[in-house]
Amino acid sequence: MSLFGNTPDLATPAKSAPLAERMRPHTLDEYVGQEHLLGPGKPLRVQIERDDASSMIFWGPPGVGKTTLAKIIAETTKATFIEFSAVLSGIKEIKQVMADSEKASTYGSRTILFIDEIHRFNKAQQDAFLPYVERGTIRLIGATTENPSFEIISALLSRCRVYTLRALTDEQILHLLERALADETRGLGDFGIEASHEALELLANYANGDARHALNGLEVAARLAQSAKSRITKEIATEALQQRVLLYDKQGEEHYNLISALHKSVRNSDADASLYWLGRMLQSGEDPMYVARRVIRMAVEDIGLASPEALNLCLSAKDAMDFLGSPEGDLALAQAVAYLALAPKSNALYTAYGEVLSDIEHTRAEPVPLHLRNAPTGLMKNLGYGKDYKYAHDEAGRVADMECLPESLRNRTYYHPTNEGREKLLAQRMEEIRKIKEAKG
């Protein structure tokens, strides 16, 4: 018995529905992809077959079947299926549904509450699910494109199993496209449309693992092909796609994944990979000035004094980007990235400054030694300010035998230059300074 009358909407949609909706799989056997979870003996498959009522989070990129899988689970387990979008639904509405679900459970009815984009609910809103999930009143299935570790509160996360769904391969999407072309009930089979293998490969490749995007592209191509002897060619597929849609979210995990790939490629002196990741970010719509700021950071963190001109080059690239805009200014960033990748590397200054900050945090903030203080007044001079100060320009070698650190950090060494690039000369200079001080000591 159900108080809702809602069941998974897996019936064949009307012909007017988008192709991606019409081709939504009805069973696990129709479902394509996620073999690491749904193959024989795999964790999610076992959970479904055992009718395990645990709540779960599906984490994965768009178009991999998160909603479809939730509907199949509800159908397989004979549960009432209620779907909400965190973008469109308020917590007041959902609380009412959860209360009704609790009442329905007393009649033996089971409810799956599916929350799409669950990461868009704030902490207080996510807290509202906890008592119902904990009591088993509802079986919560959340879908998210964001890392649950960062976006889902720990209390809710600990009560759910997290399953990571992967982007579909080109071969899997190609299979879905061929199925849609042949299916006479839900697909395009009764239109008599054919497609070249090259056209289908193009649609699959441009989808970037998103089945919905691929099927939408096929539907547009099919309409265009109806006036071209009902055959989808590579040219028609290209026209249907217009522009490749790259998986990217300026505030999401993929944003951080790509900038991490760029930074680490530069650090590893791989110019080709660095240019590739830069191109991926810019073509995906990333703010070029954000990239410019990160490139400047790379210059000071990973290149440092081994090639000090790198910083000026990156600042110039930032100014060029600001002046020209995209796409003309993109080449300036590409020039800077390639230079950083090929430049000699040193994080000696980055490490030195980190040690300085650590000492500042963990040691006593001693007063400035008297000999390093100025004495603009007679009182200050009488108190010893400036006493025993040695003016370096009057000293042999322009180096005075004088401690400039606080007493507790006497002889502390932070900067250890490498033998890379310009830093090799700095290392030699530091050794000269050390010898001059020793001779005067």
Side-chain angles (χ1 to χ4, degrees), residues 173-441:
I173 291 182
L174 191 61
H175 173 71
L176 292 174
L177 295 176
E178 291 170 344
R179 178 194 288 178
L181 274 176
D183 193 314
E184 296 181 357
T185 304
R186 294 182 283 164
L188 304 171
D190 58 351
F191 292 101
I193 294 175
E194 298 179 350
S196 71
H197 187 70
E198 292 78 10
L200 295 182
E201 280 189 329
L202 182 67
L203 290 168
N205 179 258
Y206 269 52
N208 274 324
D210 186 331
R212 186 186 301 108
H213 180 60
L215 289 167
N216 288 343
L218 177 64
E219 188 168 28
V220 174
R223 293 195 191 111
L224 295 173
Q226 286 180 327
S227 59
K229 299 182 180 179
S230 295
R231 180 172 176 78
I232 300 174
T233 62
K234 187 175 181 181
E235 290 71 26
I236 289 177
T238 301
E239 186 179 351
L241 290 168
Q242 294 296 317
Q243 183 178 358
R244 185 169 194 163
V245 178
L246 295 172
L247 170 63
Y248 201 65
D249 179 350
K250 292 181 183 179
Q251 301 301 321
E253 185 188 11
E254 194 65 11
H255 162 83
Y256 298 106
N257 288 343
L258 287 179
I259 193 61
S260 175
L262 172 59
H263 195 157
K264 289 172 181 173
S265 298
V266 166
R267 183 179 292 153
N268 200 46
S269 300
D270 191 328
D272 296 316
S274 300
L275 289 170
Y276 171 79
W277 294 120
L278 172 70
R280 275 279 297 271
M281 294 189 77
L282 295 177
Q283 289 300 303
S284 299
E286 178 58 81
D287 177 8
M289 297 309 290
Y290 167 79
V291 179
R293 288 192 296 271
R294 291 301 300 257
V295 167
I296 292 169
R297 168 65 186 264
M298 295 173 205
V300 294
E301 179 178 338
D302 292 289
I303 313 302
L305 292 174
S307 182
E309 64 274 12
L311 177 57
N312 286 332
L313 178 65
C314 292
L315 289 169
S316 296
K318 183 266 295 182
D319 290 342
M321 186 74 242
D322 190 38
F323 180 69
L324 293 173
S326 197
E328 291 84 355
D330 295 356
L331 197 58
L333 289 180
Q335 179 178 330
V337 162
Y339 183 87
L340 293 183
L342 298 174
K345 306 292 188 297
S346 172
N347 70 341
L349 191 63
Y350 175 76
T351 301
Y353 193 64
E355 292 179 3
V356 166
L357 296 180
S358 178
D359 276 355
I360 291 171
E361 181 179 355
H362 296 105
T363 63
R364 179 172 176 265
E366 293 191 58
V368 174
L370 290 174
H371 63 275
L372 294 181
R373 303 186 194 187
N374 286 330
T377 69
L379 174 62
M380 296 169 78
K381 190 171 184 179
N382 290 335
L383 290 174
Y385 282 37
K387 184 181 180 181
D388 298 327
Y389 170 68
K390 298 176 181 177
Y391 187 57
H393 290 287
D394 292 338
E395 299 287 326
R398 300 292 193 273
V399 176
D401 180 24
M402 178 176 62
E403 181 60 58
C404 294
L405 281 168
E407 184 60 33
S408 64
L409 296 174
R410 176 180 286 273
N411 297 323
R412 179 78 159 89
T413 302
Y414 295 107
Y415 181 48
H416 301 277
T418 68
N419 284 322
E420 298 297 323
R422 199 77 60 83
E423 220 170 32
K424 185 175 182 178
L425 298 176
L426 298 179
Q428 294 172 356
R429 174 57 182 160
M430 287 183 72
E431 180 62 18
E432 291 174 4
I433 293 170
R434 186 188 65 80
K435 289 180 178 179
I436 292 172
K437 285 186 175 182
E438 279 186 356
K440 293 183 177 183

Side-chain angles (χ1 to χ4, degrees), residues 121-164:
F121 279 134
N122 61 35
K123 181 181 183 299
Q125 291 170 323
Q126 292 182 35
D127 276 334
F129 297 123
L130 285 176
Y132 300 94
V133 171
E134 198 160 42
R135 290 196 297 267
T137 301
I138 62 167
R139 184 180 186 184
L140 176 68
I141 300 181
T144 178
T145 56
E146 303 295 328
N147 190 326
S149 302
F150 305 136
E151 305 296 340
I152 310 296
I153 62 172
S154 57
L156 185 58
L157 204 58
S158 67
R159 291 164 174 80
C160 299
R161 297 179 185 176
V162 177
Y163 292 110
T164 303

Side-chain angles (χ1 to χ4, degrees), residues 18-168:
L19 179 63
E21 183 63 29
R22 302 201 309 268
M23 292 303 300
R24 190 185 292 276
H26 291 179
T27 66
L28 285 177
D29 291 334
E30 284 187 16
Y31 193 88
V32 174
Q34 317 311 326
E35 288 84 356
H36 64 296
L37 298 176
L38 296 171
K42 296 300 182 180
L44 184 53
R45 184 91 184 209
V46 170
Q47 185 176 355
I48 296 171
E49 291 172 346
R50 290 179 179 174
D51 198 6
D52 185 338
S54 300
S55 293
M56 60 187 78
I57 303 293
F58 292 154
W59 172 31
V64 298
K66 297 186 289 294
T67 303
T68 296
L69 192 50
K71 290 184 175 182
I72 290 174
I73 291 172
E75 174 71 16
T76 303
T77 58
K78 309 301 180 186
T80 298
F81 184 83
I82 302 175
E83 180 177 359
F84 283 103
S85 169
V87 177
L88 303 176
S89 305
I91 195 63
K92 181 179 180 181
E93 181 184 8
I94 292 180
K95 277 185 174 181
Q96 182 59 52
V97 168
M98 290 189 290
D100 291 343
S101 298
E102 191 164 39
K103 187 182 297 184
S105 67
T106 64
Y107 295 95
S109 175
R110 295 188 300 174
T111 302
I112 287 181
L113 181 63
F114 177 72
I115 307 293
D116 193 21
E117 299 191 89
I118 192 172
H119 60 274
R120 294 186 183 271
F121 279 134
N122 61 35
K123 181 181 183 299
Q125 291 170 323
Q126 292 182 35
D127 276 334
F129 297 123
L130 285 176
Y132 300 94
V133 171
E134 198 160 42
R135 290 196 297 267
T137 301
I138 62 167
R139 184 180 186 184
L140 176 68
I141 300 181
T144 178
T145 56
E146 303 295 328
N147 190 326
S149 302
F150 305 136
E151 305 296 340
I152 310 296
I153 62 172
S154 57
L156 185 58
L157 204 58
S158 67
R159 291 164 174 80
C160 299
R161 297 179 185 176
V162 177
Y163 292 110
T164 303
L165 278 65
R166 300 170 181 167
L168 302 183

